[in-house]
Amino acid sequence: MDMESQQTVSVEGRHPRLLPPPADAWQQAYQSVAPSLEPLRLTLKRPPQVNILRVNQVDAARLDVELTAMLREQLVKVFSLAQPGLLLRYEPELNAFLEFLIWRFSIWVDRPTPGNALMNLRYRDERTYSGLAMAGKVRTGLEGPGLSKFQKLSYCLAMVGGRYGWNRLQNLSAFQRWGDSDRSSWSRRAWGLLQRFESMYKVASFVNLVVFLHTGRYRSIIERILKARLVYERPSMNRAVSFEYMNRQLVWHELSELLLLVIPLLNMLSFRKVLSFSFSGGQSLAANVREDACPVCETTSITIPYRTIPCGHMYCYFCLRTRCIANPSFRCARCEVQVTGMQRHQEKVSLEGSDRRPG
């Protein structure tokens, strides 16, 4: 014990004794670093930014359109024995009725539409979500209530009633020819207003599309006005649509487009000739055709016979003319000599029998 006290004394003799901090030292330290902690605290309170895939939202809208088309097709089959042209006359009403059914059994009862369900999406009231985010009640960024009753009714009036009214108005203006009436008439002025409104809507839709591609929010103008945003319904759920069939369809579509572009540029006569020459063991197929037959159509009764220049082989006029027009460097099918011209074949008629006189 004496040794420890001596060491303590010696240590205290080397270094001065440290005074204890004041009682409010921690408060002074907190006040000094509080300004730098405030931005960090605001960052932690900010709700997480969740990016919804744009392709999911576009595919959901496309799937809803396809579903409506399938239902319309089935309904047309039901009325196939009705009066011809009956459904065509009431096509806007039929489309509005089908869209209303989809809205009634999906959005109105707080359920996603069939396309949104396949893409794991649902509508959220963005105004209410902003209030929850400011109160710090958001953790994953996918919380928030569905659409309010006002938003649901407004969505139905805009998407269902608006489309129906616009289609009916366009049909009426086209049937009564508002655009061909006098400039001073009300129908011509109404037609001009419709054209201006349509142009403005297309411009606004294009601007909304650019903003949607940049931010990933509100794929349509109606959704942007109503603040109805599409978010994931379940964070851990994948898409319910497989890309296998879609990829095969895209590959086949691109291949068919390529063939439609390349085939008109090819000389099919020369191509078929090269193939036939290759598969016949280096011998032209026309070499096996009779001498008095056309090498192209292989008929023995040649219609309007013509001979090639310079080789002199005989063809039908139509067969030889079409091949010379299609291919200026056409070669004879028998001897592979380039044809430079064509000449009408003159048959020699013997007059020996007619020159004899009865004795």
Side-chain angles (χ1 to χ4, degrees):
M1 192 68 182
D2 296 336
M3 294 291 294
E4 292 178 1
S5 60
Q6 291 178 1
Q7 290 177 358
T8 304
V9 173
S10 61
V11 171
E12 291 178 355
R14 294 178 184 176
H15 301 284
R17 179 178 295 179
L18 297 177
L19 297 177
D24 58 345
W26 66 273
Q27 297 179 353
Q28 298 177 2
Y30 173 77
Q31 292 176 359
S32 62
V33 299
S36 60
L37 294 178
E38 186 65 20
L40 181 60
R41 184 176 63 84
L42 295 177
T43 304
L44 294 176
K45 275 191 173 182
R46 187 179 304 169
Q49 297 294 331
V50 179
N51 295 324
I52 311 299
L53 292 179
R54 296 159 182 80
V55 65
N56 284 21
Q57 303 180 54
V58 176
D59 286 349
R62 185 61 185 174
L63 288 173
D64 289 335
V65 173
E66 294 293 338
L67 176 64
T68 306
M70 292 173 59
L71 294 176
R72 187 188 308 112
E73 182 180 358
Q74 296 299 323
L75 195 58
V76 168
K77 289 182 180 180
V78 172
F79 292 94
S80 60
L81 301 179
Q83 181 182 358
L86 179 63
L87 291 181
L88 183 61
R89 186 187 311 170
Y90 298 102
E91 184 177 1
E93 286 79 6
L94 176 62
N95 295 334
F97 174 70
L98 294 177
E99 291 176 356
F100 175 79
L101 287 181
I102 295 176
W103 170 84
R104 172 60 181 82
F105 294 102
S106 59
I107 297 178
W108 179 251
V109 293
D110 292 327
R111 293 181 180 178
T113 61
N116 292 342
L118 290 174
M119 295 293 107
N120 186 29
L121 298 173
R122 70 176 182 90
Y123 278 113
R124 182 180 69 187
D125 186 3
E126 200 67 9
R127 294 189 180 93
T128 308
Y129 171 78
S130 301
L132 295 176
M134 294 298 295
K137 298 180 180 180
V138 176
R139 293 191 306 170
T140 63
L142 300 177
E143 297 89 344
L147 301 182
S148 62
K149 186 175 293 187
F150 172 77
Q151 289 175 317
K152 295 175 183 178
L153 293 176
S154 301
Y155 185 91
C156 179
L157 290 176
M159 301 299 291
V160 180
R163 289 176 181 174
Y164 168 72
W166 180 254
N167 290 335
R168 266 303 175 192
L169 196 58
Q170 281 189 328
N171 293 340
L172 180 63
S173 63
F175 180 75
Q176 297 184 358
R177 296 185 177 182
W178 289 0
D180 298 335
S181 56
D182 297 333
R183 293 188 176 182
S184 58
S185 61
W186 67 269
S187 57
R188 183 60 181 270
R189 292 194 295 268
W191 182 80
L193 291 176
L194 289 178
Q195 297 299 317
R196 293 190 187 94
F197 178 78
E198 185 177 6
S199 301
M200 293 173 58
Y201 180 78
K202 289 181 178 179
V203 172
S205 299
F206 177 75
V207 174
N208 181 80
L209 176 62
V210 174
V211 177
F212 167 73
L213 294 177
H214 179 68
T215 61
R217 300 184 178 186
Y218 310 116
R219 62 188 177 185
S220 66
I221 300 178
I222 303 301
E223 294 178 358
R224 187 173 297 277
I225 294 175
L226 297 178
K227 294 298 180 181
R229 186 189 175 189
L230 285 172
V231 295
Y232 291 124
E233 186 176 10
R234 289 180 290 274
S236 59
M237 181 179 175
N238 297 325
R239 293 164 54 108
V241 176
S242 176
F243 282 103
E244 183 178 358
Y245 173 76
M246 190 181 300
N247 291 336
R248 285 186 293 177
Q249 185 70 16
L250 288 175
V251 169
W252 172 248
H253 177 73
E254 296 300 329
L255 181 60
S256 61
E257 290 289 337
L258 178 63
L259 292 178
L260 290 176
L261 176 64
V262 173
I263 286 178
L265 303 178
L266 297 178
N267 191 338
M268 299 305 298
L269 296 176
S270 300
F271 186 69
R272 186 176 63 179
K273 187 175 180 180
V274 171
L275 289 179
S276 61
F277 185 79
S278 302
F279 287 103
S280 62
Q283 185 180 6
S284 177
L285 294 179
N288 300 325
V289 182
R290 295 173 50 181
E291 288 293 334
D292 59 343
C294 175
V296 178
C297 61
E298 301 183 3
T299 180
T300 55
S301 57
I302 298 180
T303 305
I304 313 177
Y306 266 74
R307 291 189 177 274
T308 57
I309 299 175
C311 60
H313 291 111
M314 193 163 53
Y315 289 77
C316 295
Y317 171 76
F318 179 77
C319 298
L320 182 59
R321 184 61 177 170
T322 53
R323 274 145 185 81
C324 290
I325 293 176
N327 184 12
S329 59
F330 172 70
R331 295 181 177 273
C332 179
R334 293 187 182 273
C335 59
E336 296 294 331
V337 175
Q338 183 174 353
V339 178
T340 58
M342 50 189 298
Q343 183 180 8
R344 179 72 179 267
H345 173 66
Q346 300 293 337
E347 295 185 358
K348 296 180 180 180
V349 180
S350 177
L351 300 178
E352 295 179 358
S354 61
D355 292 340
R356 293 180 181 179
R357 295 180 181 179

